[in-house]
Amino acid sequence: LSIHATIDHEHDLAWMQDVLLHPKPSGDHPALIEANKLCSGLIVLEHRKLPEDLQEYLTPDETHRADRMGARRRQGFLAVRLGLKLLARFLFPDMQKIPANKLQTLDDESPRPNLPEFAGSEKYTVSASHNKHLTVVAASINSFGIDVEDRAAQAWRGRNFFMSALEQEMARQFSLGPEKAALRVWSCKEATAKAYNIDLNQAVWRVHLKKIGEITSLAKYKSGKNDVYHFAVNECLITILFKNEDVKRHCRITQ
Ligand SMILES: CC(C)(COP(=O)(O)OP(=O)(O)OC[C@H]1O[C@@H](n2cnc3c(N)ncnc32)[C@H](O)[C@@H]1OP(=O)(O)O)[C@@H](O)C(=O)NCCC(=O)NCCS
């Protein structure tokens, strides 16, 4: 089911079609079609296409938080807000009747992303990430974390700050080269931090990669081995990690 089939083209975020890499009426990137199969909803925005002024789509709380941010941080923050509002309307088309600036995507007590009230927050977990180029926002009935990264060479250069000796050895054997392996390891650790709501510093040394693969990896945290899926989209890598304890989905990855 396409997001465009369910959303009225007159709603106040209809202009976002031009900013979306997924869903895209003119055809999605093949890797994003696969990523979408793992989620209840997936939104991918291209930052270079975002308009400068997005104020009119924000709640007062969102505006207040954005006003304290530098330009780069603010762009990602705003893209997550718009992504969540669009996702809410995808999951619950009735949300189109509520103006975007009334859809609150902030949590009062934490920096975690939120679906607006009455958009299914009791049913879905949401996760979000942004890098220089893209913002990704997804919903799932399973607990998960999402991440987007692009600086593989930098990740490998910084390997001693986040990879164990064993992970470095696995990276040296990786078919696509150690830089792309290091990016996968970093991204797995960030996605675990979000899925388990732990500090990134904790995730760095307590998450152990058991397998690094081009499309799937395995990340151990405490006693659970978590399934990880990677999607290469243009120059970026999107990683989705599911907490293994309560997976209800059927995996249909075919890429
Ligand atoms: C969560 C974290 C790994 C994100 O890394 P990052 O380098 O900022 O980069 P990303 O772009 O991938 O992710 C940012 C998004 O993650 C989401 N996020 C932030 N904190 C989060 C958390 N605790 N759990 C899940 N998602 C979180 C937000 O949507 C944020 O974007 P936004 O602020 O613009 O909405 C990092 O900020 C971190 O370690 N935070 C500390 C976690 C924490 O405080 N845990 C609480 C228990 S100790």
Side-chain angles (χ1 to χ4, degrees):
L1 182 68
S2 148
I3 197 168
H4 299 287
T6 57
I7 289 190
D8 179 348
H9 288 266
E10 297 305 313
H11 74 111
D12 63 0
L13 294 176
W15 57 269
M16 280 182 70
Q17 275 193 44
D18 298 333
V19 181
L20 294 178
L21 201 55
H22 178 86
K24 197 173 175 145
S26 58
D28 284 284
H29 191 291
L32 292 175
I33 295 174
E34 296 303 318
N36 188 52
K37 291 177 185 171
L38 291 179
C39 307
S40 307
L42 174 71
I43 306 281
V44 182
L45 307 182
E46 283 190 281
H47 289 181
R48 69 187 167 89
K49 295 186 177 170
L50 269 178
E52 285 276 305
D53 187 9
L54 296 166
Q55 180 84 31
E56 66 186 284
Y57 308 107
L58 302 179
T59 65
D61 286 352
E62 290 167 344
T63 303
H64 180 68
R65 219 181 274 184
D67 282 348
R68 291 178 293 172
M69 295 177 175
R72 173 83 191 277
R73 173 73 188 90
R74 186 180 152 88
Q75 186 181 51
F77 177 81
L78 296 183
V80 171
R81 311 286 64 85
L82 292 177
L84 287 165
K85 290 168 201 252
L86 205 57
L87 191 58
R89 289 179 177 175
F90 170 53
L91 297 169
F92 287 90
D94 269 1
M95 289 272 143
Q96 291 170 64
K97 294 176 194 147
I98 306 174
N101 63 13
K102 296 270 185 312
L103 298 174
Q104 175 69 279
T105 64
L106 295 178
D107 184 318
D108 285 344
E109 279 135 40
S110 90
R112 291 172 72 89
N114 245 357
L115 275 176
E117 211 179 356
F118 310 120
S121 48
E122 65 300 326
K123 182 172 173 193
Y124 300 107
T125 302
V126 287
S127 189
S129 180
H130 36 74
N131 69 353
K132 191 175 168 194
H133 310 285
L134 302 180
T135 281
V136 293
V137 177
S140 170
I141 53 169
N142 299 295
S143 304
F144 78 109
I146 201 163
D147 186 51
V148 58
E149 300 288 338
D150 63 295
R151 292 181 291 177
Q154 191 178 349
W156 180 240
R157 279 199 301 276
R159 59 192 174 276
N160 292 332
F161 294 102
F162 69 95
M163 291 170 76
S164 67
L166 196 60
E167 288 166 346
Q168 293 189 25
E169 194 41 46
M170 287 162 71
R172 287 191 179 90
Q173 313 288 330
F174 185 52
S175 56
L176 302 178
E179 296 184 346
K180 288 187 172 166
L183 196 68
R184 281 164 170 74
V185 174
W186 174 253
S187 205
C188 284
K189 293 185 177 186
E190 278 227 15
T192 311
K194 291 179 192 170
Y196 284 86
N197 198 24
I198 55 170
D199 197 281
L200 188 56
N201 289 325
Q202 261 181 290
V204 160
W205 300 118
R206 295 193 189 166
V207 177
H208 304 285
L209 271 286
K210 293 295 165 193
K211 176 193 151 197
I212 306 170
E214 185 179 345
I215 293 164
T216 60
S217 296
L218 212 52
K220 188 163 185 273
Y221 175 66
K222 294 191 171 165
S223 58
K225 282 190 188 152
N226 303 293
D227 290 318
V228 186
Y229 301 87
H230 305 289
F231 305 92
V233 179
N234 305 339
E235 66 275 52
C236 300
L237 183 77
I238 297 174
T239 293
I240 305 179
L241 174 141
F242 289 97
K243 276 168 83 166
N244 242 354
E245 57 205 40
D246 59 358
V247 171
K248 304 172 191 107
R249 76 195 182 283
H250 294 289
C251 179
R252 291 175 287 139
I253 286 283
T254 54
Q255 75 169 323

